[in-house]
Amino acid sequence: MTSSPRPPHIGDRSNPTGGTTALGGEPAPARGYLLDNARAEAGERFVWLAELFDDVTRGHFDRLGVRAGSRCWEVGAGGRSIPEALAAAVGPTGYVLATDIDPSWLKTGDGYEVLRHDVAADPPPEPGTFDLVHARLVLVHVPDRARALATMVAALRPGGWLLVEDADTALQPLACLDDNGPAQRRANRLRDAVRELLTRRGANLRYGRTLPGALREAGLVDVAAAGSFPVGGLACDRLEAATIRHVRGELLAAGLADDAELDAHLAAIHAGELDLTLAPLISAWGRRPAE
């Protein structure tokens, strides 16, 4: 899997969408997605999230019958790895649409179409036509999750599958499972601080566990779910470092951390002193009933 650390058309601007940033100026207001696509760290996060979870996601695609000729919609795509994987699976006879509120990191012409789209506010593109609709680490951050789910369900053809994958950080809130020293305890305090920022932005940190019930309430059948829980390794380290750099300004502005604490945590990550882990990723899928 390859990815660029910065979309080439962004250059050195910190925010191509015109929003504010907490670094180098006044703190951004506590609204919108905390880990937005406007920062270079977003590209780093996409790389390491792909390393951690793309094999899991592709396994679900295979299980749900994505094949040559399938029509797929990737919701809140973020980076390129999943749209590219879907495009490879469906081939020239299929169709892949990749959407995001900020599609800066996506590239039309790599076998998929790109569209700026807000799944909680905009109508479904090409309703009733998709064999698969997929969203990963999206709905946990969307305030109107029920509306977003309804939009995705409306895009499915009868018999089509919806696959939603979201973290449940309340199930496993620790950065270091073995809380055996000051560096590990500091990592766990900072993970709590990031969770607090996410909560203030409207994220539901218990959302992953609700997915099977939410899919049934949305009218889907044959609902099932599974979980993935990465523990340790380079990808977890690099993802943690990129995340801390991404939200550093917000942590400082909120008084949830200080510079010395953040610098020490980043140094411990770089030195390989921590066995970092993530919250479980809950993958749930369901089928639109055939008419």
Side-chain angles (χ1 to χ4, degrees):
M1 198 271 321
T2 60
S3 178
S4 168
R6 183 188 295 267
H9 62 283
I10 287 180
D12 290 328
R13 291 180 295 156
S14 62
N15 192 335
T17 62
T20 59
T21 177
L23 292 179
E26 293 297 319
R31 58 181 173 80
Y33 179 34
L34 178 67
L35 298 164
D36 62 41
N37 292 358
R39 298 278 301 281
E41 290 85 359
E44 296 177 53
R45 284 176 43 80
F46 296 151
V47 169
W48 299 113
L49 285 168
E51 181 71 20
L52 289 163
F53 294 124
D54 274 13
D55 284 348
V56 173
T57 298
R58 287 195 298 264
H60 293 310
F61 291 163
D62 292 342
R63 185 177 303 107
L64 298 177
V66 175
R67 56 177 62 89
S70 293
R71 290 176 52 83
C72 304
W73 175 21
E74 179 65 15
V75 179
R80 303 173 186 174
S81 67
I82 290 300
E84 289 174 354
L86 285 170
V90 307
T93 61
Y95 172 70
V96 175
L97 174 64
T99 65
D100 204 295
I101 292 176
D102 176 6
S104 302
W105 298 89
L106 301 171
K107 183 181 178 183
T108 296
D110 283 357
Y112 57 91
E113 182 180 353
V114 177
L115 177 68
R116 187 182 301 273
H117 183 270
D118 183 344
V119 70
D122 298 331
E126 304 182 39
T129 66
F130 288 96
D131 299 293
L132 175 85
V133 176
H134 173 246
R136 188 175 73 190
L137 298 172
V138 174
L139 294 191
V140 66
H141 302 287
V142 174
D144 194 346
R145 299 172 186 91
R147 179 174 178 180
L149 273 175
T151 297
M152 291 190 286
V153 170
L156 292 170
R157 65 164 178 80
W161 289 93
L162 174 62
L163 170 63
V164 180
E165 302 181 286
D166 261 307
D168 192 318
T169 60
L171 273 177
Q172 197 299 99
L174 300 176
C176 293
L177 298 177
D178 188 7
D179 197 358
N180 63 352
Q184 288 74 20
R185 290 189 286 272
R186 180 178 56 233
N188 287 340
R189 286 196 304 272
L190 290 173
R191 181 65 59 85
D192 285 343
V194 174
R195 293 172 68 237
E196 174 63 22
L197 288 179
L198 289 167
T199 300
R200 293 181 186 184
R201 298 293 185 100
N204 180 353
L205 304 184
R206 301 168 60 88
Y207 186 62
R209 74 191 69 183
T210 73
L211 281 172
L215 296 191
R216 287 192 296 269
E217 290 174 8
L220 301 182
V221 297
D222 298 332
V223 172
S228 178
F229 182 26
V231 178
L234 177 64
C236 285
D237 289 352
R238 296 290 178 84
L239 179 62
E240 174 75 2
T243 300
I244 291 296
R245 292 197 306 272
H246 195 140
V247 303
R248 180 173 186 139
E250 286 82 357
L251 289 169
L252 294 172
L256 294 170
D258 59 39
D259 278 315
E261 189 175 26
L262 293 168
D263 288 343
H265 181 50
L266 289 170
I269 296 170
H270 182 71
E273 297 174 2
L274 304 173
D275 294 310
L276 292 163
T277 187
L278 300 178
L281 181 75
I282 308 299
S283 305
W285 54 92
R287 181 175 56 83
R288 182 174 178 178
E291 295 176 355

